């Protein structure tokens, strides 16, 4: 019996894209195989053919020429042709299988001696090595944005990204680039595939600014979520349809779609002008619910204590409710900030051993034990300082830079202009001192 029999299905190892071929004629040392998928016929020399017999296995799911999808229940071979049982009383021949169902595994190609050029393997290996090396660099995710990164922005973004779950309050003064810092964090998280779904909540006056800056500077396509977009989803959760969602937080807070936003799992949530979130307000409760379904949270504000200590605690509780469980504990810890500052200064100037008496004043057995273990085991004193900062303060959760501490900004010059006599100059002069350091 000839190796090739009319009705058999074969696959070309050299050209698997041709699909399933069917033997149409076999004469002497030559065989004709039709490839219906490619609408082509090939003539092969028997004994030197880059072909492999196609055999499906039990439980394979295949499509017939008729378009019907079936499961293979049993297999038998009659006169060199496979017959597949597709129901209790129905069998299909090889020729009944759709031509696009051909499958060739790498092992089968290797067994048949179909080995590609080593240059492609070497090229792929070098590509993987280069990609892995690039991902391991600290600059990964920071070189793409079209911005001139100021050192303090890079430092803040890098510290936040070193957290397993980035949750922080960006409180730089106005004009120092909080939006840039947040954009760097978002861009790097997405470039490293640590985040796939981002929710950005901003006041209505900043929606267009965020939309433009994320696109121009970070090449991030934000989808504006509003009533019009939600209506187009025809009942589907609008927040499940996008990767980076941008919305007016005031709209979301009063919207019927708030529950859908809360039911979505977010990798990162960003809230700009977060000082507007007053303790126990409806907006705060909405933000708290969203933070509980988001792995990372970034809060942006230039005036973190504008509305008092209670408002500041509210944002810290939103970032880490376990570390800041209630206001009373937070106020009690604030009373110890003076001693904590003295301890840090003593450690930096004279070493940890010189600060042991100050540490004892805190009456914290865990802190005393940890300080002693640092001394006994020769651990880094910076490690102790970081641990104490996390335990007794806002730690590495609040980042605030001021123009006084940041260099590189242009010097500001006063320019005086004469105000009209009917202006409220006298009232303004008397009013400004009354507001102190509050934001105007």
């Amino acid at each position: 019996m000839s190796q090739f029999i009319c009705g058999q299905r074969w696959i070309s190892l050299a050209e698997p894209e041709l699909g399933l071929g069917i033997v149409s004629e076999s004469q002497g040392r030559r065989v004709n195989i039709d490839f219906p998928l490619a609408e082509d016929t090939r003539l092969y020399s028997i004994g030197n053919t880059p072909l492999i017999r196609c055999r499906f296995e039990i439980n394979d799911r295949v499509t017939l020429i008729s378009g019907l999808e079936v499961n293979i229940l049993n297999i038998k071979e009659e006169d060199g042709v496979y017959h597949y049982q597709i129901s209790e009383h129905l069998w299909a021949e090889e020729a009944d299988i759709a031509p696009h169902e051909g499958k060739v595994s790498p092992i089968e190609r290797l067994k048949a001696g179909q080995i590609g050029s080593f240059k492609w393997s070497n090229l792929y290996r070098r590509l993987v090595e280069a990609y892995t090396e690039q991902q391991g660099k600290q600059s990964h995710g920071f070189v793409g944005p079209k911005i001139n990164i100021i050192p303090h922005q890079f430092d803040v973004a890098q510290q936040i990204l070193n957290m397993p779950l980035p949750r922080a309050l960006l409180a730089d003064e106005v004009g120092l680039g909080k939006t840039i810092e947040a954009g760097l964090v978002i861009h790097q998280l997405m470039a490293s595939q640590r985040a796939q779904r981002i929710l950005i909540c901003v006041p209505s006056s900043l929606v267009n600014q965020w939309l433009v800056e994320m696109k121009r500077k970070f090449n991030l396509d934000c989808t504006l979520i509003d009533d019009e977009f939600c209506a187009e989803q025809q009942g589907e959760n609008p927040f499940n349809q996008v990767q980076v969602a941008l919305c007016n937080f005031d709209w979301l807070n009063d919207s019927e779609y708030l529950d859908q936003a809360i039911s979505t799992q977010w990798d990162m949530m960003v809230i700009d002008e977060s000082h507007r979130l007053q303790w126990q307000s409806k907006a705060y409760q909405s933000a708290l619910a969203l933070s509980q379904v988001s792995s990372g949270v970034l809060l942006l504000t230039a005036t973190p204590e504008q509305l008092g200590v209670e408002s500041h605690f509210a944002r810290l509780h939103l970032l880490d409710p376990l570390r800041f469980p209630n206001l009373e504990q937070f106020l009690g810890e604030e009373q110890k900030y003076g001693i904590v500052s003295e301890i840090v200064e003593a450690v930096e100037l004279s070493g940890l051993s010189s600060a042991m008496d100050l540490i004892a004043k805190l009456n914290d057995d865990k802190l005393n034990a940890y300080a002693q273990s640092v001394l006994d085991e020769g651990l880094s004193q910076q490690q102790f300082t970081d641990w104490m900062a996390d335990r007794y303060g806002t730690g590495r959760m609040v980042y605030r830079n001021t123009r006084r501490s940041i260099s590189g900004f242009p010097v500001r010059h006063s320019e005086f202009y004469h105000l009209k006599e009917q202006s409220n100059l006298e009232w303004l002069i008397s009013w400004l001192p009354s507001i102190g350091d509050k934001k105007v």
Side-chain angles (χ1 to χ4, degrees):
M1 183 179 294
S2 173
Q3 178 185 4
F4 293 91
I5 299 174
C6 291
Q8 291 179 339
R9 306 306 291 265
W10 292 76
I11 300 173
S12 171
L13 289 170
E15 300 173 286
E17 65 275 8
L18 293 176
L20 273 180
I22 183 169
V23 177
S24 60
E25 184 181 0
S26 177
Q27 256 187 355
R29 296 187 57 81
R30 294 186 177 184
V31 59
N32 280 328
I33 296 185
D34 295 334
F35 292 95
L37 185 65
E39 298 181 353
D40 196 2
T41 300
R42 298 294 175 89
L43 178 63
Y44 295 97
S45 175
I46 295 177
N48 189 27
T49 56
L51 299 170
I52 184 171
R53 187 83 160 87
C54 179
R55 173 189 166 96
F56 294 96
E57 303 298 333
I58 295 176
N59 294 325
D60 280 353
R61 188 168 182 82
V62 298
T63 303
L64 303 181
I65 294 177
S66 63
L68 180 66
E69 290 188 1
V70 297
N71 290 322
I72 295 177
L73 306 177
N74 201 356
I75 305 171
K76 66 180 180 180
E77 184 177 358
E78 293 182 359
D79 300 327
V81 176
Y82 293 127
H83 294 254
Y84 301 103
Q85 184 179 10
I86 57 177
S87 69
E88 186 176 356
H89 303 292
L90 189 61
W91 291 75
E93 295 185 0
E94 291 184 60
D96 297 325
I97 307 295
H100 66 270
E101 287 287 356
K103 59 177 184 177
V104 181
S105 69
I107 296 298
E108 290 172 330
R109 298 192 67 167
L110 188 62
K111 288 179 178 178
Q114 296 294 318
I115 301 175
S117 172
F118 282 109
K119 70 176 182 179
W120 301 115
S121 175
N122 292 333
L123 178 62
Y124 181 73
R125 177 179 54 80
R126 294 201 304 271
L127 174 64
V128 172
E129 290 175 350
Y131 181 73
T132 304
E133 180 183 0
Q134 192 267 342
Q135 278 195 316
K137 293 181 178 179
Q138 289 187 342
S139 61
H140 179 61
F142 291 106
V143 295
K146 298 178 182 178
I147 56 176
N148 293 322
I149 304 179
I150 303 175
H152 81 272
Q153 296 171 343
F154 175 78
D155 182 59
V156 168
Q158 192 173 49
Q159 289 187 53
I160 293 174
L161 289 165
N162 285 336
M163 302 177 182
L165 297 176
R167 301 174 78 93
L169 174 64
L170 302 181
D172 290 354
E173 284 186 348
V174 175
L176 295 190
K178 294 183 293 297
T179 305
I180 297 298
E181 293 167 356
L184 286 171
V185 172
I186 295 172
H187 185 271
Q188 205 279 342
L189 287 174
M190 298 190 71
S192 60
Q193 299 183 356
R194 290 176 59 188
Q196 302 294 331
R197 303 177 67 82
I198 312 291
L199 174 64
I200 303 175
C201 301
V202 302
S204 60
S205 59
L206 298 179
V207 169
N208 289 337
Q209 176 186 330
W210 272 84
L211 196 65
V212 172
E213 288 202 12
M214 289 300 102
K215 178 60 178 178
R216 288 184 177 177
K217 297 180 178 179
F218 300 97
N219 196 30
L220 292 176
D221 292 314
C222 298
T223 302
L224 180 59
I225 308 296
D226 55 14
D227 286 320
E228 181 180 355
F229 178 84
C230 294
E232 293 174 353
Q233 306 312 308
Q234 299 179 348
E236 296 291 333
N237 186 340
F239 296 95
N240 281 335
Q241 315 304 317
V242 299
Q243 187 173 15
V244 183
L246 173 66
C247 67
N248 173 6
F249 188 68
D250 294 330
W251 166 85
L252 180 62
N253 186 42
D254 297 324
S255 170
E256 60 182 294
Y257 303 104
L258 176 61
D259 290 339
Q260 292 179 313
I262 295 174
S263 67
T264 303
Q265 182 63 49
W266 302 100
D267 298 312
M268 171 61 71
M269 178 181 70
V270 180
I271 299 181
D272 199 1
E273 300 293 329
S274 61
H275 57 269
R276 294 152 51 100
L277 300 175
Q278 298 185 30
W279 176 241
Q280 298 297 358
S281 65
K282 182 176 183 295
Y284 179 80
Q285 296 300 327
S286 299
L288 182 62
L290 287 168
S291 72
Q292 293 170 349
V293 296
S294 177
S295 301
V297 178
L298 287 182
L299 304 180
L300 281 63
T301 176
T303 53
E305 296 187 359
Q306 180 181 5
L307 300 178
V309 176
E310 187 178 79
S311 178
H312 184 48
F313 161 77
R315 285 182 289 277
L316 296 176
H317 176 75
L318 191 148
L319 292 171
D320 192 347
L322 296 179
R323 170 65 182 85
F324 302 98
N326 56 71
L327 180 60
E328 291 72 20
Q329 178 179 321
F330 178 69
L331 293 175
E333 290 179 355
E334 273 199 330
Q335 304 301 319
K336 301 178 180 180
Y337 283 175
I339 299 178
V340 172
S341 178
E342 291 180 23
I343 294 173
V344 172
E345 185 176 356
V347 171
E348 291 179 347
L349 293 177
S350 307
L352 179 57
S353 58
S354 65
M356 293 302 291
D357 292 338
L358 290 172
I359 294 174
K361 292 183 179 180
L362 291 175
N363 297 320
D364 187 336
D365 294 337
K366 288 186 178 181
L367 185 64
N368 283 321
Y370 184 69
Q372 192 61 51
S373 67
V374 170
L375 291 174
D376 295 342
E377 299 175 19
L379 301 177
S380 168
Q381 294 183 358
Q382 183 63 43
Q383 187 174 340
F384 168 79
T385 303
D386 291 341
W387 189 85
M388 187 178 65
D390 288 335
R391 184 172 177 82
Y392 278 97
T394 55
R396 289 160 286 182
M397 192 178 297
V398 178
Y399 296 87
R400 179 163 177 82
N401 291 297
T402 63
R403 285 185 175 272
R404 286 186 179 181
S405 61
I406 302 298
S407 60
F409 288 94
V411 179
R412 291 182 172 183
H413 300 280
S414 299
E415 296 288 346
F416 294 94
Y417 293 90
H418 178 69
L419 298 177
K420 295 180 180 180
E421 293 182 0
Q422 62 267 32
S423 68
N424 295 323
L425 177 59
E426 294 182 0
W427 169 83
L428 182 63
I429 293 175
S430 62
W431 177 75
L432 284 175
S434 67
I435 65 171
D437 296 330
K438 293 182 180 179
K439 183 177 180 182
V440 179

